[in-house]
């Protein structure tokens, strides 16, 4: 897969929303990649970075679901649920429903939808995932 460079002039909000659009359309790996850039920019350990890491883990969980890997899906979903804390005061996450994202992670952890396996080159949004 060819790596695409995103515009250097993009704000953190631009990166977040780009990843969100990719996620909503079933491009889970690509959203993971877009958000990882933002996670690094946020310093990896700040409150915003840890919330971002939760979103990355949710995307990774969705990737594992599409691969039919329930063990990996559960592992990533459990970590996502720990990291996604609704009520973040950060303006960066305005427009994101962190509570819904956390609930999505919990649902995957309880019952990963691995029966929705699709070829990796075709985006297929998993039912009920929200950010």
């Amino acid at each position: 897969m060819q790596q695409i460079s995103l515009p250097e002039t993009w704000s953190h909000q631009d990166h977040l929303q780009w990843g969100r659009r990719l996620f909503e359309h079933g491009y889970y790996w690509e959203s993971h990649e877009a958000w990882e850039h933002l996670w690094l920019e946020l310093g990896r350990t700040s409150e915003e970075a840890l919330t971002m890491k939760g979103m990355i883990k949710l995307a990774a969980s969705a990737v594992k679901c599409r691969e039919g890997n329930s063990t990996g899906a559960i592992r990533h979903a459990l970590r996502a649920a720990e990291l996604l804390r609704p009520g973040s005061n950060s303006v960066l996450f305005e427009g994101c429903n962190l509570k819904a994202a956390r609930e999505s992670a919990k649902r995957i952890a309880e019952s990963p939808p691995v029966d929705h396996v699709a070829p990796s080159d075709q985006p297929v949004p998993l039912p009920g995932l929200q950010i």
Side-chain angles (χ1 to χ4, degrees):
M1 177 180 293
Q2 182 180 5
Q3 183 102 14
I4 297 174
S5 296
L6 298 175
E8 290 183 25
T9 57
W10 273 16
S11 69
H12 289 165
Q13 186 64 237
D14 292 331
H15 281 280
L16 176 69
Q17 293 306 322
W18 173 245
R20 186 173 173 209
R21 282 190 296 275
L22 289 166
F23 185 92
E24 289 172 348
H25 287 92
Y27 289 96
Y28 301 120
W29 176 256
E30 292 82 358
S31 66
H32 173 285
E33 289 292 307
W35 288 334
E36 188 170 39
H37 173 82
L38 180 53
W39 172 69
L40 292 170
E41 287 284 318
L42 293 170
R44 297 173 33 174
T45 59
S46 69
E47 182 179 334
E48 286 180 329
L50 292 175
T51 301
M52 196 72 260
K53 186 175 182 178
M55 293 173 69
I56 291 167
K57 289 292 185 179
L58 181 57
S61 180
V63 168
K64 295 300 179 188
C65 286
R66 290 195 49 208
E67 292 174 349
N69 180 345
S70 61
T71 302
I74 292 168
R75 185 179 69 248
H76 287 298
L78 287 171
R79 186 66 176 130
E82 290 175 11
L83 292 166
L84 291 166
R85 296 183 181 97
S88 171
N89 294 326
S90 172
V91 295
L92 175 63
F93 298 103
E94 286 181 4
C96 292
N97 188 337
L98 297 178
K99 182 178 180 182
R102 185 172 195 211
E103 291 304 315
S104 293
K106 287 180 178 180
R107 278 194 307 278
I108 290 174
E110 291 171 7
S111 180
V114 295
D115 56 338
H116 289 81
V117 176
S120 62
D121 63 340
Q122 295 185 18
V124 177
L126 295 171
L129 287 190
Q130 296 179 356
I131 288 193

